[in-house]
Every structure is written in structure tokens, then in C-alpha cells.
């Protein structure tokens, strides 16, 4: 896991901006760190934007973004986060890789922590800096990363923390990752205050997956697996058995189970349960349906069994989660000025 911070220490972050980076993802890093400093009244975090060479880096929106310093004159950091957008230029790595490797070797007391946003995981994997680690990446890169880097465990999660590596899918998932990081460093009270300040209804956790198109998630070479997943999503209220799914997509049950294990690192039953529970969570937060009704709508005939599965998967009983959501809504309502 990441290094715990000592009392009063400042966590120094270097943000390497590669051409085509997402301004939205960058803001989702800087904003919660700035909020942590402002709300706490202390310099808990310091960040520096870095470029490979130039004073400005062109973002995915075509905007030139000024940086604080090039890599060559950068100071020391506790963590370096790679901010990369679509089609990261491999030529960038000729400058970035030796700089990162030198920083990794220089550390003595504790290892340098590496993070990645959007396609940043792809960049780290190209540099062999994710070998033996679990990570995530924007769903555009899921298939190519799984095929190109078998030594990396590539997941579909919103964000992943694995020892001294932390990666996320980018965009809004960046905010979830940074709030999780701040919670780890500073505790839940400050994290909750930042979340409310940013009008963030809740902090999504590591168990939640990206909602990616199935073709992008697996590629076009697994039609039976894609069809099986589509059948699951279309039959949440009345789940289909694994044997029936295999029959419908024209493969044996054993073959279907092997495909799920190979490409999704799970079983058909577990994946199906995850889909049903994620749907239940949506209904819990977005409707006033009773727990029994939600359970039935998601294929759980027994309320107690539904509550147990929900608690085991999300870590919070469904009734408590609904109360938390309602409490957050009430607090936002109480602080919203009434227009005359």
C-alpha cells in the first residue's frame, strides 16, 4: 500500500502532462488537493506541473497549457502522476523513461509512488513500470493493454491502488481516486468535507467498474462472451443460469466459464451478481422503491439474501446506504439559498 504520511508532512506531487492530456482529469487532481489545503488550513499537498521539454503542453482540447517546469529542472516528489490522453506519443517515453528510472533508483527511505490518469497506465506499461501490478485504464485501451502486456493485470475498475502504484480511468474517476488517496492520508472527516465542498454526492470505491461498451471492453474477437454479457444485462430481474447462457450463445458451459476467467478474471455467476447489485445500487439511490422491491427487480427473491449480498459486495448494508444518500441530500438542501 502507499506510504502513510507523518504528522505535519507535505505530500509532493509531480504531474507530468503529455500532449493530448485531459484538462478535466488534471483539474480532478488539483481541485481536491487544493480543497484539502484550504479546509485544513495547512499545506498538506503541493503539486507541480511538468512537461517533457516545452513551457506549454497542448491538451486534448487543443489548448496550450502552461507548466511550472520541464522534467530536467524538476524537484523531488513523493508521487509522480502521468497525465496522458488519447494516442499517447511513444516518442515521449524516450525522455520520460530515463527520468522516471533515475527517480526510482534515487529513492532510499521509501519508494517513489507512481500514478496514471486516462491512458497514463498504457504509458507506464510501455516502460515496464507496471509489470506484476494490477491497474486500470480508460476503456478505450482495455483490449490493447490486455493483449500487449500479459505481465500486467488490467482491470475494468474506476481506479486501482496496488502497493506504490495508483491508476484510474480518467475523467470523473480521477476525482474518486484522489478523494480515496486523501482519505488514506488524512482520514475520512477531511475527505467528507472536501466531497461536500465539491458537491460530490458520494465517493465511488475500488469495487466499481467502468460502464464501457462491451466491444471496447473485450474487443471484437470474443462474440460469444459479449453476447453472454448482453444477455445478462437484459435479464437482471429473472437471471439465466450459466448452463442456459452457454446454450443460448452456442458454447459449452465449461468453455463459457473459461472465457470469463481468462478475459474478466471472474466466473459467470460472480459477474452476473455484480451486474445485479450495481443495478440495485442505482435503484437504491435514484428511487424510493422499497428494499424488497429493489431486490425483486434485480433477481433476489429473498430480502435477507439481497441485503447480505449487497453488504458483502459494497461494504455497506442497503438500508444504511440509502440513509447516507438521504442525509447528504438533506444537508445540501439545508445549505442551498432560497431565491426570492
Amino acid at each position: 500500500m502507499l506510504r502513510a504520511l507523518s504528522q505535519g508532512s507535505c505530500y509532493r506531487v509531480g504531474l507530468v502532462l503529455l500532449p493530448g492530456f485531459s484538462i478535466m482529469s488534471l483539474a480532478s487532481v488539483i481541485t481536491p488537493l487544493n480543497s484539502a489545503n484550504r479546509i485544513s488550513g495547512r499545506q498538506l499537498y503541493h503539486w507541480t506541473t511538468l512537461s517533457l521539454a516545452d513551457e506549454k503542453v497542448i491538451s486534448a482540447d487543443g489548448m496550450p497549457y502552461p507548466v511550472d517546469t520541464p522534467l530536467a529542472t524538476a524537484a523531488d516528489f513523493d508521487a509522480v502522476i502521468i497525465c496522458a490522453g488519447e494516442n499517447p506519443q511513444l516518442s515521449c517515453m524516450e525522455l520520460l523513461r530515463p527520468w522516471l528510472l533515475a527517480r526510482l533508483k534515487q529513492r532510499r527511505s521509501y519508494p517513489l509512488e507512481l500514478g496514471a490518469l486516462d491512458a497514463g497506465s498504457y504509458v507506464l506499461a510501455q516502460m515496464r513500470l507496471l509489470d506484476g501490478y494490477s491497474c486500470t485504464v480508460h476503456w478505450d485501451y482495455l483490449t490493447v493493454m490486455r493483449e500487449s502486456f500479459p505481465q500486467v493485470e488490467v482491470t475494468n475498475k474506476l481506479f486501482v491502488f496496488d502497493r506504490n502504484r495508483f491508476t484510474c480511468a480518467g475523467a470523473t474517476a480521477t476525482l474518486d481516486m484522489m478523494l480515496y488517496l486523501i482519505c488514506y492520508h488524512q482520514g475520512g472527516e477531511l475527505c467528507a468535507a472536501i466531497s461536500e465542498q465539491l458537491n460530490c454526492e458520494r465517493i465511488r470505491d475500488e469495487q466499481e467498474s467502468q460502464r464501457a461498451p462491451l466491444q471496447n471492453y473485450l474487443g471484437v474477437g470474443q462474440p460469444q462472451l459479449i453476447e453472454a454479457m448482453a444477455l445478462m444485462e437484459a435479464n437482471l430481474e429473472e437471471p439465466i443460469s450459466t448452463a442456459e447462457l452457454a446454450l443460448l450463445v452456442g458454447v459449452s458451459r465449461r468453455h463459457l466459464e473459461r472465457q470469463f476467467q481468462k478475459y474478466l478474471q471472474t466466473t459467470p455467476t460472480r459477474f452476473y451478481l455484480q451486474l445485479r447489485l450495481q443495478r440495485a445500487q442505482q435503484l437504491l439511490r435514484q428511487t424510493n422503491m422499497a428494499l424488497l422491491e429493489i431486490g425483486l427487480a434485480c433477481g433476489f427473491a429473498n430480502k435477507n439474501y439481497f441485503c447480505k449480498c449487497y453488504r458483502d459486495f459494497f461494504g455497506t448494508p442497503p438500508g444504511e446506504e440509502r440513509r447516507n444518500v438521504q442525509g447528504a441530500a438533506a444537508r445540501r438542501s439545508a445549505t442551498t439559498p432560497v431565491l426570492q
Side-chain angles (χ1 to χ4, degrees):
M1 191 55 181
L2 302 179
R3 178 178 64 95
L5 299 184
S6 59
Q7 184 69 27
S9 64
C10 178
Y11 190 73
R12 300 158 300 170
V13 181
L15 297 163
V16 179
L17 309 186
L18 299 184
F21 78 96
S22 165
I23 289 182
M24 180 178 181
S25 294
L26 178 64
S28 294
V29 173
I30 294 175
T31 301
L33 297 182
N34 181 61
S35 296
N37 291 343
R38 182 167 48 80
I39 293 173
S40 68
R42 292 180 291 151
Q43 186 73 18
L44 300 176
Y45 297 96
H46 181 271
W47 55 93
T48 303
T49 53
L50 308 168
S51 67
L52 298 179
D54 301 328
E55 295 180 355
K56 295 182 179 180
V57 181
I58 305 299
S59 72
D61 304 314
M63 298 173 57
Y65 190 93
V67 297
D68 297 318
T69 182
L71 292 182
T73 57
D76 193 21
F77 303 105
D78 297 299
V80 170
I81 300 177
I82 309 301
C83 309
E86 296 181 2
N87 302 316
Q89 301 172 11
L90 300 186
S91 59
C92 296
M93 300 176 202
E94 296 177 2
L95 293 172
L96 181 57
R97 188 173 189 275
W99 182 82
L100 275 178
L101 290 178
R103 292 300 172 107
L104 288 167
K105 291 179 180 178
Q106 286 172 359
R107 305 309 290 263
R108 292 291 183 267
S109 56
Y110 53 86
L112 177 69
E113 295 167 2
L114 296 180
L117 317 179
D118 296 288
S121 298
Y122 182 79
V123 175
L124 290 179
Q126 281 279 356
M127 294 187 287
R128 306 300 298 271
L129 294 175
L130 286 179
D131 287 7
Y133 286 87
S134 177
C135 75
T136 190
V137 70
H138 189 275
W139 54 258
D140 264 339
Y141 286 85
L142 280 172
T143 301
V144 67
M145 277 199 66
R146 283 174 173 156
E147 293 176 351
S148 302
F149 310 111
Q151 67 277 18
V152 181
E153 183 186 349
V154 185
T155 76
N156 188 41
K157 301 302 182 184
L158 289 171
F159 61 93
V160 172
F161 282 81
D162 185 0
R163 290 161 287 174
N164 60 333
R165 304 285 191 270
F166 53 100
T167 56
C168 76
T172 57
T174 307
L175 178 60
D176 296 299
M177 182 180 75
M178 296 308 298
L179 289 172
Y180 188 95
L181 179 69
I182 292 170
C183 184
Y184 176 78
H185 286 158
Q186 313 296 342
E189 186 175 346
L190 177 59
C191 183
I194 296 170
S195 180
E196 291 203 357
Q197 183 69 42
L198 300 179
N199 283 321
C200 182
E201 181 178 301
R202 68 183 182 92
I203 305 171
R204 296 177 293 179
D205 61 32
E206 286 186 284
Q207 297 300 320
E208 298 193 41
S209 301
Q210 303 177 58
R211 295 296 294 171
L214 297 181
Q215 290 81 356
N216 293 84
Y217 188 59
L218 295 169
V220 296
Q222 310 302 325
Q224 292 96 351
L225 191 52
I226 291 174
E227 185 179 357
M229 294 167 68
L231 284 169
M232 289 178 177
E233 290 190 328
N235 293 274
L236 298 180
E237 187 171 353
E238 296 183 6
I240 304 171
S241 70
T242 302
E244 290 176 297
L245 281 169
L247 184 63
L248 288 170
V249 302
V251 298
S252 69
R253 173 174 178 163
R254 179 68 175 158
H255 178 79
L256 186 62
E257 289 174 340
R258 285 199 301 267
Q259 293 294 92
F260 267 88
Q261 194 61 53
K262 178 178 180 179
Y263 293 100
L264 302 173
Q265 295 80 51
T266 189
T267 64
T269 301
R270 180 66 180 172
F271 184 83
Y272 210 164
L273 178 63
Q274 177 179 325
L275 290 179
R276 292 158 57 202
L277 289 171
Q278 288 174 338
R279 174 59 176 159
Q281 188 179 61
Q282 289 179 331
L283 293 175
L284 189 70
R285 291 170 173 167
Q286 299 171 6
T287 75
N288 292 319
M289 294 171 63
L291 294 185
L292 178 59
E293 292 178 295
I294 292 176
L296 291 172
C298 298
F300 296 93
N302 183 288
K303 178 184 174 182
N304 291 334
Y305 180 63
F306 163 60
C307 293
K308 178 183 183 302
C309 290
Y310 193 98
R311 183 184 65 249
D312 290 346
F313 188 80
F314 291 112
T316 304
E320 182 179 336
E321 177 148 347
R322 170 163 278 176
R323 288 191 293 273
N324 291 340
V325 171
Q326 291 173 341
R331 288 192 295 273
R332 288 196 302 274
S333 177
T335 57
T336 301
V338 177
L339 300 179
Q340 301 294 333

